[in-house]
Amino acid sequence: MGFKYEGFSLTADAAKVKGAAAQLLGVTKKAKDKLSNVPNGAAETALYTRWFGAIDGTRLKTVQRIVSDIDDAAHSTRRTITFVDARQTTSIGRNEPGTRAYVHCGGTGWTGHVGSGIRVLITQRFFAPDTNPDKVTERTVCVMLHELSHKLGGTIDHVYGRDEALELARNHPAKAHKCAENYGFFALDLLKLP
């Protein structure tokens, strides 16, 4: 695996990001493995339909590919994922109040790549204290998988939030499988499966 950490001046902040990255490794592998059981495994299929809607062969293959690409990148020795402290600068992107992290996904100018790698820019909200311990897991797993799904899977932000992502899967599965938020919450719920 090739993780780098850039610009984190406080040891505690660096430790939070490193812990999140370590957790990401287990979650992406588990997601890849569990998705291979859809539609045969009952628990896996229920989780898939919860976050991505009714099973459709093309959509299922898209979700499997995106999760596989994220897992491959996270475990690659040839590719680097660099987590950047973006709290003190506006020269490399945005630091909006609701944003925990972000990636640049192409276009003109700077694209967020570091040689053969990917940059995930971490903002102040990533470090915001939460009163609910489950929110820590949500922040680390959801945010990182959400951002990597943008970068590696071309997902977009159709919605934000758990309830909104669930509604998207129920009513608009063709959008849910291309929504970064659905990947993040899928991974979070996946942690509850054996």
Side-chain angles (χ1 to χ4, degrees):
M1 92 196 117
F3 292 139
K4 289 185 180 178
Y5 309 91
E6 184 179 296
F8 296 98
S9 57
L10 297 175
T11 304
D13 290 350
K16 285 180 185 178
V17 176
K18 287 179 182 179
Q23 195 173 26
L24 178 71
L25 291 172
V27 169
T28 61
K29 180 170 180 8
K30 187 174 184 178
K32 184 177 176 179
D33 292 345
K34 294 293 186 183
L35 280 168
S36 69
N37 291 331
V38 175
N40 301 321
E44 294 89 344
T45 301
L47 189 61
Y48 173 89
T49 56
R50 176 179 169 89
W51 291 109
F52 299 109
I55 294 177
D56 166 275
T58 303
R59 289 194 301 264
L60 174 59
K61 286 184 190 315
T62 298
V63 171
Q64 288 171 327
R65 179 192 51 78
I66 290 171
V67 169
S68 180
D69 288 351
I70 293 169
D71 181 62
D72 292 348
H75 288 90
S76 176
T77 56
R78 297 181 317 273
R79 200 169 200 177
T80 302
I81 298 174
T82 303
F83 298 99
V84 180
D85 186 346
R87 293 177 287 184
Q88 303 302 319
T89 181
T90 57
S91 64
I92 55 174
R94 63 185 183 273
N95 205 352
E96 298 164 4
T99 303
R100 291 189 190 270
Y102 58 97
V103 294
H104 291 280
C105 294
T108 59
W110 187 73
T111 62
H113 286 288
V114 180
S116 62
I118 299 163
R119 294 170 69 91
V120 178
L121 296 108
I122 307 294
T123 69
Q124 182 62 41
R125 187 157 183 236
F126 185 89
F127 298 100
D130 287 307
T131 56
N132 181 346
D134 289 340
K135 292 286 187 178
V136 174
T137 300
E138 179 179 315
R139 180 171 58 242
T140 59
V141 176
C142 281
V143 170
M144 288 188 174
L145 206 92
H146 173 119
E147 295 307 328
L148 291 171
S149 79
H150 282 313
K151 192 67 175 176
L152 297 167
T155 62
I156 59 176
D157 294 320
H158 286 294
V159 298
Y160 288 106
R162 178 178 281 275
D163 293 341
E164 292 81 357
L166 286 169
E167 182 192 347
L168 193 67
R170 276 191 306 272
N171 299 321
H172 305 284
K175 288 184 177 181
H177 85 287
K178 291 297 284 177
C179 183
E181 199 77 338
N182 291 65
Y183 286 83
F185 285 113
F186 169 78
L188 183 63
D189 280 0
L190 186 66
L191 292 173
K192 300 171 189 168
L193 291 182

